[in-house]
Amino acid sequence: MKLHRVSAMFLRHIYLYRHSLTRLVEIFYWPLLDLLVWGFVSLYITRLSAEGKSTPNFLGIFLGALILWDILFRSQQGISVSFLEEVWARNFLNLFVSPLTIGEYLVSLMLVAVFKVVVVFLISALLAWVLYSFNLFIIGIYLLPFMLCLVILGWAIGILTTGLILRFGQQAEVLAWGVAFLFQPISAVFYPVSVLPKFLQKLALVIPASYVFEGMRAIIFGRTFPAGQLLKAFGLDLFYLLLALFFFFRMFRQVRARGLLAKMGE
């Protein structure tokens, strides 16, 4: 074993960080997210203990939150990762020399996302019931609109991510796994919005997922969830989906005009 060859390969990978913003951000991104999410969870539990409040179904809160969060994540990945699979196979150009339109392509990715969500949800719900005796269906009639709200948000994030990959190329591929988690701390997945600092509480008001997870906790705790909050979440969902579509189509036109479609995956 020669040290100079080991050091050469080490430097080869380190030098990549000098010219890649996405790689640099990734170093700080995941530790920061972990610190924020689990820090707020700890703060939530500490506050409950300090105030002498009991949590009637703490296990249900976490399991329900994990299952619902996975719906959003799989919906986003159903679009962005499916797109990357075409890029990795160098099949992207072949698709668009065919009669296939970009709109038809996006709709197919949305259907792939729905398929993944349904399969993952059924498996997760079954395992939660078998292993932990937790029945997610206690949410009742709100479960379907909750899921639909998260699926639409996942579509929007996935389409946005795909547009960014089109714009910045392979160096942005890491976004396919990381963008959704950017919304996790302010979506109040495992804790109420009230735990967040004031400025983050204001941001949570414009995140559709925060209304879903607040609603889930309210129902599990036996409280009434206001339907108006769900309507607001759907309104935000549609607004973000339209923005994501506008961004994606604009990036696609730019890439096509510059002749870069043929270079996707190279």
Side-chain angles (χ1 to χ4, degrees), residues 171-224:
Q171 64 175 341
E173 289 181 4
V174 67
L175 297 176
W177 287 269
V179 170
F181 286 94
L182 179 65
F183 297 88
Q184 192 180 57
I186 50 178
S187 294
V189 179
F190 303 108
Y191 42 80
V193 173
S194 59
V195 172
L196 299 172
K198 294 295 183 182
F199 73 98
L200 289 181
Q201 289 183 27
K202 294 179 180 179
L203 283 178
L205 293 177
V206 296
I207 304 298
S210 67
Y211 297 95
V212 171
F213 292 107
E214 287 282 71
M216 178 206 69
R217 280 186 291 272
I219 293 171
I220 291 177
F221 287 161
R223 300 194 300 265
T224 302

Side-chain angles (χ1 to χ4, degrees), residues 68-77 150 153-154 157 180 209:
L68 291 180
W69 171 256
D70 210 36
I71 290 174
L72 188 156
F73 183 60
R74 299 301 170 183
S75 177
Q76 176 257 318
Q77 282 207 321
L150 294 173
L153 181 59
I157 297 172

Side-chain angles (χ1 to χ4, degrees), residues 24-44:
L24 283 173
V25 170
E26 187 183 11
I27 294 176
F28 305 98
Y29 181 79
W30 295 109
L32 177 61
L33 282 184
D34 287 340
L35 184 64
L36 288 175
V37 171
W38 298 111
F40 288 135
V41 168
S42 301
L43 182 60
Y44 176 42

Side-chain angles (χ1 to χ4, degrees), residues 81-100:
V81 175
S82 297
F83 169 81
L84 282 176
E85 287 174 349
E86 301 293 352
V87 174
W88 294 331
R90 298 186 180 181
N91 192 43
F92 202 67
L93 181 62
N94 297 333
L95 291 176
F96 292 104
V97 295
S98 73
L100 180 72

Side-chain angles (χ1 to χ4, degrees), residues 66-75 77 113-127 147:
L66 283 171
I67 295 172
L68 291 180
W69 171 256
D70 210 36
I71 290 174
L72 188 156
F73 183 60
R74 299 301 170 183
S75 177
Q77 282 207 321
V114 172
F115 172 77
K116 287 186 175 181
V117 163
V118 171
V119 173
V120 170
F121 170 77
L122 291 176
I123 294 173
S124 300
L126 177 62
L127 289 175
M147 292 176 62

Side-chain angles (χ1 to χ4, degrees), residues 95-112:
L95 291 176
F96 292 104
V97 295
S98 73
L100 180 72
T101 67
I102 187 63
E104 292 168 343
Y105 177 65
L106 280 180
V107 170
S108 71
L109 295 187
M110 290 179 181
L111 292 176
V112 170

